[in-house]
Amino acid sequence: MRRPLRTGTARARTRAAAAAAVAALVAATVAVAAPASAVPATPAAPGAGVLSVTPVTEVGSYGQQVTHVVVEYGDAVDAARLTPGDFAVADSVYNFRFHGVERLPELVDRPVADVWTTDDPARLLDEDRPAAPGRFVVLELVDSPDGGWTVVVSLCPTFLCSVRVNPDQLTQVTQLGDVHATDGTLLAGGDPATAHRTTAEPIDREVDQFVLRTFASSTGDVEYAYRLPDGYDPARAYPLVVALPGHGMGFDGQNLGVQLASDMLTTAWFQESWTGTDEDVIVLAPQNRRVDKVTEGAQAVELVEAFLAEHAVDRDRVYATSVSYGSQLLWEMFSERPDLFAGGLLTGGFPADADELPRIAQAEVPLWITHGTNDHLLPVANARASYDGLVAAHRALGRTETRITELVRWTEYGDEAFTLPDHHLASAPTYEDATILQWLLAQEKRPQAAFRLEVATQCHAHRAVPTVTVTNDGDQRLRAAVSAGDSRHTLTVPAGKDRFHRFTHRAAQLPAGTVTVTVETVVDGVDVTDTRTVAHDALTCR
């Protein structure tokens, strides 16, 4: 059984708290002429004709959108007599990513692609097309970016506004043709002059699968949502994706759970059509409070640790992914607690602090960074600098170029990669590429050999000699194969000790070069091999 996001009081509390404000906002905006087919909406008359209208939503790359509308009648409807032309649907043209809120009342036609009946609209949560005899007519809308978006501006304490799901969605249906019962009785005559507004809570096909909770961290409450796989088995161990949303999705007191509807960050991971895999994944989505990265990063770490203690998570497969501001938390979490994570996917984000990159590199946490070339909010140059800085940090630790390529990846998207003109939302083209999501799910924490490597060049009897020192910080003996040019040597280093080797070199001049060390040891009962390469400077002895 899929778990509802907002059952009973939770959903009512979220929508009721926001409904009055949105109604006032719509009333205060400047009216814009609607298309010819959009007519003034009137409530449905219970017990006669159309009994109820229920919107159905899905989350896509650019957020949640109404994709179907369910119209209820008093008896089973004759589906064979229905055509898409029997209905007209209109909705707000507004999309918070591109439009000013003054366009919220402006309606646009939403063409009907198909029409069919069902016996229970709730089946739309679990089935793509639950067609069956019944009194509910399902209007399947044409897949189009024009209209029906559910996320709207919430509060604007500064020029940076927050967003929320519209509690008063403007979806409306006009019945143009007659609707008959299966026995031929007329259930509702066509009425082009009457548009019926929604009367029931929406069926949110992905969002309704989440549970909303509040976590009491040591520094304050954190709102969060999570979803467990269908058929969740506490005896198994599932990968966990921690989704860190953008600044506008931060909790403002009236937008609980909006991070689930604003983009694909949370909902892609349990849909094979997005990930390309049928693997069961747990999703955890904290909602930031737009405070600061240090505080919220620490709170998110506390939440993750508490969640791990209560749920069946594979601790070698805990991941984090972010949009925009969420990257601030990702950098903080990966640098402060890299031991928690097996990999990360950072989209359209902020740059890392200089001191964060060496710590992430030291822990060998794989990270894929994506960004739009023409991001209008966060310059791509800063994201490139973070990528370059992370690569440099790995090189400074002596990692091979092959290993660095495995650990750090970069994708930059031109404007053509975005199907809608929000070039800041790099998560859109990122999540539309299933190979990137599969890359993240393929990462797994591996035991690491705890050792340090130092290379020094010195003059010895008028000869320039490179010397390598290997320090074993682990609790098991390690074997280190060291090489410089054609010279090879093997060191055995006890736990907690160091050993060095001075290479033979008979000339007074030593050109710049590298020393490579391959370490073999045992960590937590697992055989571990690690290779690092360190550069040394040229030296001339007199």
Side-chain angles (χ1 to χ4, degrees):
M1 178 67 68
R2 288 177 170 169
R3 295 159 179 78
L5 167 65
R6 295 162 295 196
T7 56
T9 58
R11 180 169 220 165
R13 174 166 55 90
T14 302
R15 294 191 180 275
V22 168
L25 178 64
V26 172
T29 54
V30 178
V32 182
S37 63
V39 296
T42 58
V50 173
L51 300 184
S52 69
V53 176
T54 303
V56 181
T57 71
E58 297 178 14
V59 179
S61 303
Y62 294 86
Q64 189 182 62
Q65 188 181 27
V66 176
T67 59
H68 301 71
V69 181
V70 179
V71 184
E72 179 186 9
Y73 294 92
D75 203 349
V77 174
D78 185 354
R81 299 178 67 170
L82 296 176
T83 70
D86 290 329
F87 299 89
V89 177
D91 213 328
S92 173
V93 71
Y94 172 79
N95 185 310
F96 82 94
R97 299 186 184 279
F98 326 114
H99 302 141
V101 72
E102 70 276 1
R103 296 194 67 181
L104 182 59
E106 182 180 347
L107 298 180
V108 64
D109 289 332
R110 304 286 317 281
V112 178
D114 196 6
V115 57
W116 36 277
T117 61
T118 189
D119 55 347
D120 183 1
R123 291 175 59 188
L124 284 158
L125 282 173
D126 299 287
E127 303 174 49
D128 288 337
R129 195 179 189 277
R135 58 194 180 90
F136 299 95
V137 174
V138 181
L139 310 179
E140 186 174 333
L141 304 180
V142 170
D143 184 6
S144 166
D146 298 328
W149 302 99
T150 68
V151 178
V152 299
V153 166
S154 178
L155 298 177
C156 297
T158 68
F159 72 97
L160 295 173
C161 299
S162 56
V163 296
R164 63 179 165 187
V165 175
N166 191 349
D168 191 24
Q169 186 70 21
L170 300 182
T171 309
Q172 60 182 47
V173 177
T174 301
Q175 182 189 314
L176 303 176
D178 295 341
V179 174
H180 295 84
T182 52
D183 64 2
T185 302
L186 180 66
L187 293 174
D191 183 4
T194 301
H196 303 273
R197 287 284 302 277
T198 60
T199 60
E201 292 287 348
I203 297 171
D204 298 324
R205 300 183 88 171
E206 298 91 10
V207 171
D208 279 353
Q209 299 180 40
F210 283 79
V211 176
L212 286 183
R213 291 287 185 267
T214 300
F215 173 69
S217 79
S218 61
T219 55
D221 288 348
V222 178
E223 307 297 338
Y224 72 99
Y226 72 93
R227 181 193 182 273
L228 303 180
D230 296 336
Y232 170 76
D233 180 359
R236 289 180 55 186
Y238 299 88
L240 170 67
V241 173
V242 181
L244 304 169
H247 190 270
M249 294 78 206
F251 183 61
D252 65 9
Q254 62 179 20
N255 65 348
L256 190 64
V258 71
Q259 76 273 27
L260 307 176
S262 55
D263 46 54
M264 286 302 301
L265 198 67
T266 60
T267 57
W269 298 101
F270 53 87
Q271 299 183 73
E272 185 176 354
S273 58
W274 288 88
T275 64
T277 173
D278 61 358
E279 182 175 25
D280 291 327
V281 177
I282 299 176
V283 182
L284 174 64
Q287 188 173 8
N288 66 69
R289 288 179 178 258
R290 315 197 322 167
V291 179
D292 65 81
K293 63 181 286 184
V294 174
T295 299
E296 294 188 304
Q299 290 175 339
V301 165
E302 284 188 49
L303 171 61
V304 170
E305 290 182 313
F307 194 87
L308 293 177
E310 295 178 0
H311 296 88
V313 175
D314 183 345
R315 296 187 180 224
D316 289 332
R317 297 184 66 199
V318 177
Y319 312 105
T321 183
S322 65
V323 164
S324 192
Y325 173 79
S327 64
Q328 298 266 50
L329 276 63
L330 189 149
W331 290 122
E332 178 73 13
M333 296 162 70
F334 276 33
S335 60
E336 292 294 328
R337 289 297 307 277
D339 56 296
L340 282 177
F341 299 99
L345 175 57
L346 188 154
T347 73
F350 284 74
D353 293 341
D355 65 329
E356 293 172 333
L357 298 175
R359 286 180 280 162
I360 296 172
Q362 181 67 53
E364 292 190 80
V365 183
L367 186 60
W368 196 321
I369 303 170
T370 71
H371 213 93
T373 300
N374 291 313
D375 187 323
H376 56 287
L377 296 179
L378 299 175
V380 68
N382 293 340
R384 285 196 206 109
S386 291
Y387 165 76
D388 291 339
L390 191 53
V391 169
H394 281 290
R395 285 176 177 152
L397 291 169
R399 304 258 156 72
T400 64
E401 292 302 311
T402 298
R403 180 61 178 149
I404 293 172
T405 301
E406 294 172 349
L407 289 169
V408 191
R409 298 199 176 191
W410 166 261
T411 299
E412 185 173 323
Y413 295 109
D415 293 356
E416 70 282 354
F418 296 83
T419 54
L420 290 178
D422 183 354
H423 302 142
H424 172 57
L425 193 66
S427 65
T430 300
Y431 275 66
E432 289 167 1
D433 185 348
T435 62
I436 296 180
L437 307 191
Q438 291 168 13
W439 173 88
L440 185 62
L441 293 175
Q443 305 309 307
E444 189 168 355
K445 279 197 300 187
R446 66 176 191 175
Q448 296 181 23
F451 73 99
R452 287 170 285 155
L453 176 61
E454 181 181 358
V455 177
T457 54
Q458 57 189 2
C459 293
H460 184 74
H462 304 291
R463 292 174 297 172
V465 178
T467 300
V468 58
T469 301
V470 179
T471 301
N472 183 359
D473 294 320
D475 57 9
Q476 298 289 324
R477 182 179 63 180
L478 64 78
R479 183 174 180 271
V482 298
S483 61
D486 295 330
S487 300
R488 305 283 189 274
H489 188 76
T490 300
L491 298 171
T492 299
V493 188
K497 302 294 184 179
D498 62 60
R499 295 290 186 267
F500 72 90
H501 174 70
R502 182 180 294 122
F503 288 95
T504 300
H505 186 73
R506 302 186 182 282
Q509 291 185 328
L510 176 70
T514 60
V515 173
T516 299
V517 177
T518 299
V519 165
E520 296 177 351
T521 187
V522 176
V523 180
D524 297 331
V526 178
D527 291 335
V528 174
T529 301
D530 193 357
T531 299
R532 299 182 192 175
T533 300
V534 176
H536 64 75
D537 296 331
L539 177 66
T540 299
C541 298
R542 303 297 182 188

